[in-house]
Amino acid sequence: LKPRVRFLERSSGEVSPEEALALHLSPGSRVIRLRRLRFAGDKPLALENTAVPQSILRDPKAVKLSLYDALERINCRPTRALQRLRAVALDTEQAALLDLQAGSPALAIERRAFLDDGRVVEFTSSLYRGDAYDFVAELHSEKQT
């Protein structure tokens, strides 16, 4: 299926309290914000809200399809990320955007991505359709001697 993105918002503004904490920014700092609906073919799969320090990425329109491609063009592609996954129920607006019923299950994924020097370059909160994903993890334990 062909991936595509529909931008619901591309803007810049003053950092919110949540963004300031996640991005390690001071109040009054500026961020760019991307609100995107991601598709596979015609099926909406994910709703993403992203904030990036405007000191790193000046123009929200620099992001066409991939944020990481835009960051790579300015030599600021992240090298490490922390992600949190949890199950949630979609509210009415979220469900409508993802073409589901309100209350449908979804995976909420929150990510902070870092540059080599430790700066946070991205804070993204995503909602993925619960009926479209299947995660498998391989776990290892260290042998005891």
Side-chain angles (χ1 to χ4, degrees), residues 37-40 42-47 86 88 90 94-101 104-109 126-135:
L37 193 55
R38 294 189 167 275
F39 292 82
D42 292 330
K43 184 177 185 176
L45 293 181
L47 176 62
R86 59 192 171 93
V88 297
L90 296 172
Q94 297 160 342
L97 287 167
L98 292 171
D99 197 23
L100 294 168
Q101 296 292 318
S104 293
L107 289 173
I109 301 177
S126 304
L127 290 171
Y128 288 82
R129 294 175 65 112
D131 64 348
Y133 290 89
D134 182 14
F135 289 95

Side-chain angles (χ1 to χ4, degrees), residues 39-99:
F39 292 82
D42 292 330
K43 184 177 185 176
L45 293 181
L47 176 62
E48 292 184 338
N49 294 295
T50 299
V52 176
Q54 199 165 18
S55 61
I56 292 173
L57 187 61
R58 306 295 305 161
D59 183 5
K61 294 195 171 146
V63 180
K64 305 300 182 207
L65 179 65
S66 166
L67 170 63
Y68 284 12
D69 286 349
L71 291 171
E72 185 157 351
R73 285 193 298 274
I74 59 170
N75 296 316
C76 287
R77 186 177 178 95
T79 56
R80 181 175 73 87
L82 292 174
Q83 276 195 167
R84 176 185 180 202
L85 286 80
R86 59 192 171 93
V88 297
L90 296 172
D91 67 24
T92 304
E93 178 198 6
Q94 297 160 342
L97 287 167
L98 292 171
D99 197 23

Side-chain angles (χ1 to χ4, degrees), residues 109-122:
I109 301 177
E110 191 174 280
R111 177 176 54 247
R112 288 190 306 147
F114 301 84
L115 299 175
D116 275 336
D117 64 9
R119 287 181 294 161
V120 184
V121 70
E122 169 205 12

